[in-house]
């Protein structure tokens, strides 16, 4: 339902008004959970999720090869296992360099089937992109899709105990919400962009709307108080645009059943416009 919320709010029309040529490639079909049987409680619906992610990988890679910048709409954050893998493959084949990744999220998404307390796969995609478990996701595209030295976690404020250890051990760069409070979003964003672009062929930004405070993005599955405010989120995306390094953008975790009059999708569209070049003056 997330992608439909974006369309209803006018995403294509607003991007076209920026002078962008917009092609809607349609939805990647996803099975309905209540019609499926989960076989492993530590990675629920992994076969179905991996199939969807692989189909997204193929679609995003085809878009990149056609000269487009994929804008991937979700849906939960597990889909990034497909979209980021596509960006990694394309950057390697066209620029002979690794991919930089900025993962903007209230959560780390670096659990594995061995550390998860819920079995929800949307808490695992970054671990898989770095070459870890679940293997059904890490085997999509190149593995690992990203290296820890080119990966930045930004905005995190809600981590599981074992996940904290995994993040520390992984070597990824981390800017928590405390860092943003202390140093300001502009400085943190500039540092994140510098780290993700150093020695890479471009940056994939994977933006989970739950990084924002629920005041501005109420329609997410796992809201956490104390997130980015309206201008902080826009400043981040404006600086992404200024960097001219954007390869692809994910906007995920928009859940219309939890939203208030499509507020979250409308906010996400505004953020997409900032990332694709809409400026103040």
């Amino acid at each position: 339902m997330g992608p439909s919320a974006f369309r209803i709010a006018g995403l294509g029309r607003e991007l076209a008004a920026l002078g962008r040529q917009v092609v809607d490639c349609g939805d990647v079909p996803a099975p309905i959970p209540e019609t499926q049987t989960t076989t492993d409680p530590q990675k629920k619906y992994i076969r179905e999720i991996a199939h969807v992610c692989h189909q997204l990988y193929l679609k995003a890679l085809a878009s990149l090869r056609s000269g487009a910048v994929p804008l991937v709409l979700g849906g939960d954050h597990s889909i990034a296992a497909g979209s980021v893998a596509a960006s990694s493959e394309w950057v390697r084949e066209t620029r002979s360099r690794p991919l930089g990744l900025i993962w903007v999220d209230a959560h780390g998404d670096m659990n594995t089937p061995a550390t998860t307390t819920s079995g929800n796969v949307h808490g695992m995609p970054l671990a898989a992109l770095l070459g870890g478990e679940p293997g059904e996701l890490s085997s999509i595209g190149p593995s690992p899709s990203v290296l820890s030295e080119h990966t930045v976690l930004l905005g995190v404020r809600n981590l599981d105990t074992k996940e904290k250890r995994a993040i520390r051990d992984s070597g990824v760069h981390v800017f928590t919400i405390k860092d943003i409070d202390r140093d300001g979003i502009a400085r943190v964003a500039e540092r994140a962009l510098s780290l993700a672009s150093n020695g890479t062929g471009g940056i994939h930004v994977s933006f989970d709307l739950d990084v924002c405070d629920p005041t501005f993005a109420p329609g997410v599955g796992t809201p956490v108080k104390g997130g980015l405010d309206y201008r902080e989120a826009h400043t981040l995306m404006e600086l992404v645009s200024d960097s001219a390094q954007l390869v692809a953008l994910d906007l995920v975790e928009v859940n219309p059943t939890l939203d208030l009059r499509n507020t979250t999708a409308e906010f996400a569209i505004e953020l997409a416009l900032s990332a694709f070049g809409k400026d103040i003056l």
Side-chain angles (χ1 to χ4, degrees):
M1 294 166 65
S4 294
F6 284 99
R7 293 189 182 98
I8 290 167
L11 174 61
R13 179 183 67 250
E14 295 293 337
L15 285 170
L18 280 182
R20 295 278 184 168
Q21 180 182 354
V22 181
V23 177
D24 188 338
C25 295
D27 292 350
V28 177
I32 300 170
E34 55 266 31
T35 67
Q36 308 299 309
T37 301
T38 181
T39 56
D40 188 339
Q42 293 303 108
K43 44 183 178 179
K44 297 173 184 174
Y45 308 109
I46 187 62
R47 289 180 301 177
E48 293 82 1
I49 292 169
H51 177 74
V52 171
C53 288
H54 187 259
Q55 294 306 305
L56 174 58
Y57 162 77
L58 296 174
K59 268 198 171 188
L61 186 56
S63 293
L64 286 159
R65 287 171 173 167
S66 75
V69 178
L71 174 54
V72 180
L73 310 174
D76 82 46
H77 214 166
S78 62
I79 62 174
S83 60
V84 176
S87 294
S88 176
E89 178 77 19
W90 181 79
V91 166
R92 292 184 193 202
E93 71 182 29
T94 60
R95 302 175 183 177
S96 301
R97 287 191 170 193
L99 178 71
L101 174 63
I102 300 180
W103 194 272
V104 189
D105 203 320
H107 309 90
D109 292 352
M110 282 189 63
N111 272 304
T112 68
T115 65
T116 181
T117 58
S118 68
N120 292 330
V121 175
H122 65 80
M124 307 179 191
L126 185 52
L129 288 165
L130 289 161
E133 293 292 331
E136 294 90 340
L137 298 185
S138 62
S139 62
I140 299 171
S143 184
S145 289
V146 289
L147 301 175
S148 59
E149 59 262 37
H150 302 138
T151 301
V152 182
L153 260 172
L154 192 153
V156 291
R157 60 189 186 278
N158 186 16
L159 301 171
D160 297 332
T161 301
K162 292 181 180 179
E163 187 180 30
K164 291 180 183 180
R165 187 179 307 115
I167 290 172
R168 287 194 296 265
D169 292 345
S170 72
V172 301
H173 306 282
V174 184
F175 296 100
T176 69
I177 199 68
K178 178 181 177 181
D179 295 315
I180 295 170
D181 291 340
R182 181 181 57 210
D183 297 334
I185 188 63
R187 183 178 179 188
V188 168
E190 287 167 350
R191 290 166 64 191
L193 287 161
S194 176
L195 289 165
S197 62
N198 184 28
T200 68
I203 298 172
H204 186 118
V205 176
S206 199
F207 194 107
D208 187 323
L209 268 295
D210 70 22
V211 77
C212 300
D213 192 85
T215 304
F216 306 100
V220 298
T222 49
V224 184
K225 293 179 180 178
L228 299 184
D229 66 23
Y230 183 88
R231 272 308 308 163
E232 286 174 328
H234 270 288
T235 298
L236 170 60
M237 297 304 241
E238 288 161 359
L239 291 172
V240 166
S241 176
D242 290 348
S243 76
Q245 294 291 314
L246 184 65
V247 170
L249 172 65
D250 305 326
L251 292 171
V252 302
E253 289 291 348
V254 174
N255 187 338
T257 66
L258 302 173
D259 208 1
L260 302 173
R261 295 185 292 277
N262 219 19
T263 298
T264 306
E266 291 175 356
F267 180 36
I269 288 174
E270 294 179 15
L271 296 177
L273 296 176
S274 287
F276 281 96
K278 184 176 182 179
D279 50 22
I280 295 171
L281 182 64

